[in-house]
Amino acid sequence: MFVGFDGDVPGDAQLRKKGWIRAYGCSTEDTEAAELFAKRSFAAAFQHPLNVLTDSPMVEVCDCHGLASINNAPLAMGLLSGKFNRSSQLASDDVRGSGQSWVRWFKDGKPVPEYLDALDAIRDVLTSGGRSLVQGALAWIWGRSANTIPIPGIKTAAQAEEAAKAMAFGPLTPEQMAEIDGILRNLEVQAGRAG
């Protein structure tokens, strides 16, 4: 996406001067390119994956430059809804069952067991205070930075209502964020020892 980028984005100043744009954003996980782009453009946001199971250094890039961190996959393609288990099998026409390499949380239509284990380990923290898992997952993103904006996939009115109600709970506390971080780090250590 940023191949050959060596200066100002062509035409962005002219588009701003004409009033055609106020700002724009980019979608990337490449922090080095994002740093360069943020310094030399009028970018206002970067879109990238972020959820409690898959953190991203892009949040720090956005924080450093005062940019919005727009977060796709905040529910890990539905895994953080709690509706999947080890016996779940998605159809091959579902993107999660398609075998695409960029589908992180599912492999061959099945939830990746390590992600299910991680979710089980942090479930109580995410659902504390009466939150649903979805609401807890969104609260983690808001607890990660004041600049984060999750964009969850919503298919039904009930899902939209559940996600909207997450705002009433607000972000997880710093103590809850630290507890989740400690649990997930411990799981990484255990997985490393087992392998």
Side-chain angles (χ1 to χ4, degrees), residues 44-193:
F46 284 106
Q47 180 183 355
H48 58 93
L50 178 70
N51 62 60
V52 67
L53 301 176
T54 311
D55 202 350
S56 172
M58 285 296 298
V59 174
E60 282 75 30
V61 172
C62 291
D63 285 349
C64 177
H65 296 283
L67 304 174
S69 168
I70 301 175
N71 316 125
N72 58 33
L75 302 177
M77 300 183 90
L79 187 76
L80 292 169
S81 69
K83 64 184 177 182
F84 297 104
N85 58 45
R86 280 179 166 67
S87 62
S88 298
Q89 178 67 55
L90 295 159
S92 61
D93 64 348
D94 184 307
V95 71
R96 296 167 292 190
S98 66
Q100 297 291 329
S101 61
W102 53 266
V103 177
R104 300 175 186 176
W105 308 281
F106 294 84
K107 183 172 171 83
D108 301 321
K110 292 183 166 251
V112 173
E114 293 81 6
Y115 287 126
L116 288 173
D117 293 344
L119 177 57
D120 286 343
I122 61 175
R123 182 182 303 267
D124 288 344
V125 182
L126 291 177
T127 59
S128 63
R131 289 180 177 96
S132 69
L133 269 175
V134 166
Q135 293 164 346
L138 296 175
W140 181 88
I141 289 174
W142 293 323
R144 182 71 174 77
S145 167
N147 293 329
T148 54
I149 305 167
I151 50 172
I154 294 170
K155 295 181 180 177
T156 67
Q159 289 174 346
E161 288 175 15
E162 180 182 17
K165 287 179 182 175
M167 291 185 289
F169 291 103
L172 292 181
T173 66
E175 294 79 17
Q176 290 169 317
M177 296 294 287
E179 184 178 357
I180 287 173
D181 185 54
I183 291 168
L184 294 178
R185 284 179 192 264
N186 187 44
L187 284 176
E188 289 172 7
V189 169
Q190 289 175 359
R193 289 181 182 162

